[in-house]
Amino acid sequence: MSDAESKSLNFLEEIVEGDLQSGKHGGRVLTRFPPEPNGYLHIGHAKSICLNFGLGLKYGGGTNLRFDDTNPTKEEQEYVDSIEADVHWLGFEWKARYFASDYFQKLYDFAEYLITQGKAYVCDLTDEQTREYRGNFHTPGKPSPFRDRSVAENLDLFHRMKAGEFADGTRVLRAKIDVNAGNMNLRDPLMYRIRHAHHHRTGDAWCIYPMYDFAHPVSDAIEGITHSICTLEFEDHKPLYDWFLEQDVEAKFFQKPLPRQYEFARLNVTTTMMSKRRLLLLVEEGHVTGWDDPRMPTLSGLRRRGVTPEAVRAFAERVGVARRDATVDMGLLDLSIREDLEARCDRRMAVIRPLKVTVTNLAEGEIHWIELPNHPDAGRGTRKVPFGRELYVDREDFMEVPAKKWFRLAPGAEVRLRGACYLRCEKVVKDASGEVVELRCTWDPATLGGEAPDGRKVKGTLHWVSATHAVRAEVRLYDRLFTVDDPMDVPEGGDWRGTLNPASLDVVQAALEPSLGEAKAGERFQFERTGYFAVDADSKPGALVFNRTVGLKDSWAKVEAKA
Ligand code: ATP
Ligand code: MG
């Protein structure tokens, strides 16, 4: 391989290629994506999915989808279904689908084996006592008074734990490693706890449940995973991951070579949160309408907003694979979405905040049908848009007292109506409260479909729709869900809820060009000069609903910001 090629590999690809060359896993690559079914997937999971499935695809081995369902009280079938749908939507197919709960018996057998090897014991300390005995980084740990129970006693107690003889929290099974290890994770970690709870798949068959640190390596090994990729916070757990698997000294449980864990930086994105637990709170407390609220960083929220899987994958690619945690600006996701939609979406005219325009020198009933291209790529066809005496333009395109460099409508100013003609604002009509309610304008018929024959120029081009033909639609304008980059970074005593953006949703009644009247749920358009919009699932014929997927960059906002 040339230098240039090897440089373009991320560090995980380098590891995988190294292993393929050395034949470490017999030339095999098998990765897994292991979500806990306790919520909907978010954009951080998308990063992990693209990484794991990407490696599986690139090196021909595939990727398992494994539901890490070892925590019975938080897991539900609804989440399992949504996770499968989201992985498929992102464009990936798993090699096999498993549940950690499929391995409850094997995990139990292996735990029993560890007991017989003197490597695990039943401990009766309370949670609080366990913490105290374990010490901390500065305080050495003390052995539990139950650490030297005989194998026979441990086996008996473990069997009785499983049989349901003991109450929640009264006993645990612990690995017997090193009460004084520098790495806290090795100070006799918990393997099993008692939890008399109904499990979404195994029902009431079990009342003891394995801990993540025990279940995860064992599940990986059972499936023959080669590269087990997780986020950086598990780096300190790696010695434990290896320890459990290495205790299979007689190779009775797992095939060699054993899976290896590798860590990468988790994805954080500004103005949102990447935690199913917290996202669940947003849903439960009604700060959003559901897991698929378009303001949510969930894949179902992004999908509903109109984002495509290609845009999410491009974003994941752009973020790259790093070994140090960093926060990515939400603007980068917006950019990936915009780039993807640019080529994909046909253009339409839609006036978000309609302001009435009367073209006084155009006769009542005089309609010019103007042919407009659907996209700058010729090939994409055209459609006809009516132009008549009654129009709408956007309120944001009018300034009664124009600022410097304002090239849009203002008293006396002339602009171009996109595809139609030059239009001059002659008179401003206000209501009793002083609000501008109508612009009386004149058009120059000589400019129909082109430039002025006398050579005069206008700088501003506005979008518009015929008021008589306009289709009304509800348009949901979404903004950032939080007002600060890191909503969780609140001062002592503060509440992250205080950083929710009260203006994250603005619902307006827009006026659309008539060709949009037939738009179907899921269809996407660029509304010229405004942004990308998708028809919402709530939309019905005669009661259209559009979501703003992402705005276009507003050139005036930039001019203003510089001033
Ligand atoms: P959450 O706190 O949102 O529940 P989690 O890590 O507990 O996140 P899991 O369902 O256990 O969620 O995650 C499944 C996989 O997705 C794991 O391998 C995890 O490392 C990965 N993952 C989760 N969040 C992120 C993130 N923000 N960036 C990258 N990978 C992530
Ligand atoms: Mg989790």
Side-chain angles (χ1 to χ4, degrees):
M1 193 190 311
S2 77
D3 252 16
E5 271 176 85
S6 70
K7 276 204 190 88
S8 67
L9 297 180
N10 67 48
F11 79 93
L12 289 168
E13 290 170 330
E14 275 173 16
I15 290 169
V16 171
E17 293 201 356
D19 290 346
L20 285 174
Q21 268 162 25
S22 73
K24 180 167 169 189
H25 295 277
R28 277 187 337 112
V29 177
L30 183 63
T31 57
R32 87 285 172 269
F33 172 64
E36 183 179 355
N38 62 345
Y40 282 58
L41 297 183
H42 51 63
I43 187 91
H45 294 112
K47 171 74 233 175
S48 173
I49 293 171
C50 291
L51 179 58
N52 279 298
F53 282 84
L55 287 171
L57 276 169
K58 181 165 179 181
Y59 298 105
T63 303
N64 289 348
L65 173 62
R66 183 197 317 136
F67 290 100
D68 177 26
D69 59 347
T70 52
N71 190 353
T73 54
K74 301 216 171 110
E75 294 153 6
E76 289 174 28
Q77 187 60 38
E78 175 196 347
Y79 300 139
V80 170
D81 296 340
S82 75
I83 288 170
E84 291 187 357
D86 284 346
V87 172
H88 274 146
W89 176 76
L90 263 184
F92 297 108
E93 190 56 67
W94 45 87
K95 182 166 185 195
R97 186 202 63 174
Y98 298 112
F99 291 82
S101 56
D102 295 337
Y103 310 136
F104 279 173
Q105 186 61 47
K106 286 183 186 163
L107 284 156
Y108 179 82
D109 294 344
F110 185 50
E112 215 176 30
Y113 176 76
L114 294 187
I115 294 173
T116 61
Q117 299 294 303
K119 299 290 186 176
Y121 62 98
V122 174
C123 179
D124 305 355
L125 293 179
T126 62
D127 278 359
E128 202 180 316
Q129 289 168 327
T130 306
R131 256 193 305 279
E132 188 201 314
Y133 273 78
R134 184 172 273 157
N136 56 40
F137 190 71
H138 307 285
T139 323
K142 293 182 291 185
S144 156
F146 305 99
R147 199 170 195 259
D148 292 321
R149 274 177 166 155
S150 68
V151 168
E153 188 183 4
N154 280 320
L155 279 177
D156 174 59
L157 285 171
F158 189 48
H159 293 162
R160 288 163 62 194
M161 277 169 66
K162 175 177 188 274
E165 274 188 43
F166 310 122
D168 287 7
T170 54
R171 290 194 160 86
V172 294
L173 184 72
R174 295 176 71 173
K176 196 169 181 176
I177 307 180
D178 178 357
V179 295
N180 239 331
N183 183 335
M184 293 295 298
N185 293 299
L186 297 177
R187 293 191 183 181
D188 287 10
L190 267 55
M191 293 170 61
Y192 270 92
R193 59 191 167 160
I194 304 173
R195 192 59 51 104
H196 290 267
H198 190 82
H199 185 278
H200 77 117
R201 291 189 78 244
T202 57
D204 298 316
W206 295 86
C207 64
I208 56 171
Y209 290 93
M211 305 299 290
Y212 173 90
D213 278 334
F214 174 59
H216 204 81
V218 173
S219 304
D220 282 346
I222 290 171
E223 290 175 24
I225 299 299
T226 57
H227 300 81
S228 178
I229 298 161
C230 61
T231 44
L232 276 175
E233 65 275 23
F234 291 98
E235 196 169 8
D236 287 349
H237 298 234
K238 182 160 34 196
L240 183 53
Y241 181 101
D242 292 337
W243 186 88
F244 277 123
L245 298 183
E246 284 159 8
Q247 301 318 305
D248 178 27
V249 282
E250 298 160 87
K252 277 173 38 175
F253 292 87
F254 321 121
Q255 292 201 356
K256 302 259 164 64
L258 296 168
R260 298 282 297 167
Q261 174 184 304
Y262 301 94
E263 307 87 21
F264 75 106
R266 67 190 290 123
L267 172 64
N268 292 305
V269 182
T270 57
T271 68
T272 193
M273 307 190 296
M274 293 288 157
S275 151
K276 289 187 241 111
R277 191 168 54 79
R278 302 225 172 86
L279 296 176
L280 176 63
L281 287 178
L282 290 175
V283 174
E284 285 179 342
E285 295 177 9
H287 303 294
V288 294
T289 57
W291 284 100
D292 68 346
D293 186 303
R295 290 167 291 183
M296 292 280 270
T298 52
L299 296 184
S300 50
L302 292 169
R303 175 163 66 233
R304 181 161 187 180
R305 214 170 88 198
V307 175
T308 68
E310 289 85 354
V312 175
R313 295 205 303 261
F315 172 68
E317 184 66 30
R318 192 169 232 153
V319 167
V321 183
R323 240 188 297 214
R324 198 168 307 156
D325 279 321
T327 299
V328 173
D329 197 286
M330 185 64 95
L332 194 67
L333 177 59
D334 286 348
L335 182 69
S336 304
I337 297 169
R338 227 179 261 125
E339 282 177 1
D340 169 75
L341 295 178
E342 159 69 25
R344 191 183 293 275
C345 296
D346 277 356
R347 312 278 171 98
R348 292 292 183 266
M349 291 206 288
V351 173
I352 300 297
R353 293 184 172 82
L355 172 61
K356 193 175 166 196
V357 167
T358 306
V359 187
T360 53
N361 59 339
L362 201 61
E364 205 109 19
E366 183 181 343
I367 303 294
H368 298 267
W369 286 88
I370 291 164
E371 190 161 4
L372 288 179
N374 287 330
H375 195 272
D377 281 351
R380 297 271 288 258
T382 61
R383 83 252 179 227
K384 288 203 163 144
V385 176
F387 171 74
R389 185 180 155 88
E390 316 256 284
L391 306 174
Y392 290 124
V393 295
D394 209 296
R395 284 192 172 271
E396 287 179 2
D397 285 331
F398 173 76
M399 255 190 175
E400 192 173 9
V401 183
K404 247 174 90 181
K405 295 197 177 163
W406 178 258
F407 300 122
R408 309 184 203 172
L409 277 170
E414 191 172 42
V415 296
R416 183 201 315 273
L417 293 184
R418 172 123 173 82
C421 62
Y422 284 19
L423 184 88
R424 186 183 300 279
C425 177
E426 310 284 358
K427 189 164 178 244
V428 178
V429 183
K430 297 182 183 178
D431 67 8
S433 71
E435 193 182 82
V436 176
V437 290
E438 184 189 341
L439 304 179
R440 300 256 166 91
C441 300
T442 52
W443 76 305
D444 177 356
T447 61
L448 183 62
E451 302 297 322
D454 64 6
R456 77 184 192 281
K457 297 285 173 208
V458 291
K459 278 200 171 156
T461 298
L462 309 189
H463 61 285
W464 53 277
V465 300
S466 161
T468 5
H469 302 80
V471 173
R472 288 294 180 159
E474 175 179 322
V475 173
R476 299 174 183 169
L477 302 167
Y478 298 104
D479 202 343
R480 304 282 189 252
L481 189 50
F482 291 93
T483 54
V484 294
D485 278 355
D486 182 359
M488 298 319 295
D489 183 25
V490 283
E492 224 10 70
D495 185 348
W496 56 268
R497 291 167 187 82
T499 66
L500 277 162
N501 179 6
S504 61
L505 172 60
D506 186 9
V507 180
V508 297
Q509 291 295 322
L512 320 180
E513 65 165 80
S515 73
L516 285 168
E518 303 299 310
K520 305 276 180 308
E523 284 187 311
R524 304 178 180 90
F525 300 92
Q526 184 196 108
F527 290 173
E528 297 217 31
R529 299 184 59 240
T530 308
Y532 293 95
F533 291 77
V535 185
D536 189 76
D538 286 347
S539 196
K540 290 183 197 68
L544 293 174
V545 181
F546 281 83
N547 296 321
R548 179 169 66 196
T549 311
V550 66
L552 295 179
K553 271 182 255 157
D554 183 341
S555 52
W556 177 248
K558 261 190 277 166
V559 172
E560 247 184 342
K562 269 193 213 140

